[in-house]
């Protein structure tokens, strides 16, 4: 059973960089043909795919967030990390990490394993 767990600060100040880590257990992030995504859900809104890192390490980003987003991984720790720079209150959301057999994850059904999500609030 693959398990994903998000971790990181719950409160970030405007203009700072948000950093979250997803720790994966029960499976390797280098397993062929899987993509590891970051997805967020602002209050009262739907899921927003932010980006993904592939089993080979290639990265993919949402065009709307590309300029502020970076996803990396540490294969020795079986973790992947999200960095979102220059945050504003509009970046307040529950942030999820997920595994999928596709690059883009826009629905719950598109990912086969999800973390429980972590609330991030951007506020001074």
């Amino acid at each position: 059973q693959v398990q994903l767990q998000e971790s990181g600060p719950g409160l970030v100040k405007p203009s700072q960089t948000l950093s979250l880590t997803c720790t994966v257990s029960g499976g390797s992030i280098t397993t062929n043909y899987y993509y590891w995504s970051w997805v967020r859900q602002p209050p009262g809104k739907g899921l927003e795919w932010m980006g993904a890192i592939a089993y080979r390490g290639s990265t993919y980003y949402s065009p709307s967030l590309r300029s502020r987003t970076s996803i990396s991984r540490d294969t020795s720790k079986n973790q992947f990390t999200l960095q979102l720079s220059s945050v504003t209150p509009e970046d307040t959301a529950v942030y999820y990490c997920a595994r999928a057999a596709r690059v883009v994850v826009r629905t719950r059904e598109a990912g086969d394993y999800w973390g429980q999500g972590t609330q991030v609030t951007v506020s001074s």
Side-chain angles (χ1 to χ4, degrees), residues 27-48:
S28 172
I29 62 173
T30 62
T31 299
N32 278 352
Y33 313 128
Y34 284 113
Y35 299 84
W36 303 86
S37 279
W38 286 99
V39 182
R40 68 182 182 179
Q41 186 166 25
K45 297 184 179 181
L47 295 175
E48 179 184 19

Side-chain angles (χ1 to χ4, degrees), residues 24 29-30 39 47 49 53 71 77 83 86 101-103 117 123:
V24 179
I29 62 173
T30 62
V39 182
L47 295 175
W49 178 77
I53 187 163
I71 297 174
K77 295 181 180 178
Q83 290 194 311
S86 304
R102 63 185 72 184
V103 174
S123 174

Side-chain angles (χ1 to χ4, degrees), residues 3-102:
Q3 294 184 318
L4 294 84
Q5 178 67 59
E6 305 90 350
S7 60
L11 181 64
V12 183
K13 294 185 185 304
S15 81
Q16 291 187 340
T17 295
L18 180 165
S19 293
L20 296 174
T21 296
C22 183
T23 301
V24 179
S25 59
S28 172
I29 62 173
T30 62
T31 299
N32 278 352
Y33 313 128
Y34 284 113
Y35 299 84
W36 303 86
S37 279
W38 286 99
V39 182
R40 68 182 182 179
Q41 186 166 25
K45 297 184 179 181
L47 295 175
E48 179 184 19
W49 178 77
M50 303 180 69
I53 187 163
Y55 55 101
R56 290 182 176 176
S58 303
T59 52
Y60 308 83
Y61 299 106
S62 167
S64 65
L65 295 170
R66 179 186 302 274
S67 63
R68 299 195 291 131
T69 307
S70 178
I71 297 174
S72 59
R73 68 180 185 175
D74 185 336
T75 56
S76 68
K77 295 181 180 178
N78 216 33
Q79 296 176 333
F80 61 106
T81 299
L82 169 73
Q83 290 194 311
L84 181 67
S85 63
S86 304
V87 298
T88 72
E90 286 66 42
D91 293 309
T92 294
V94 177
Y95 285 75
Y96 299 93
C97 55
R99 189 188 83 165
R102 63 185 72 184

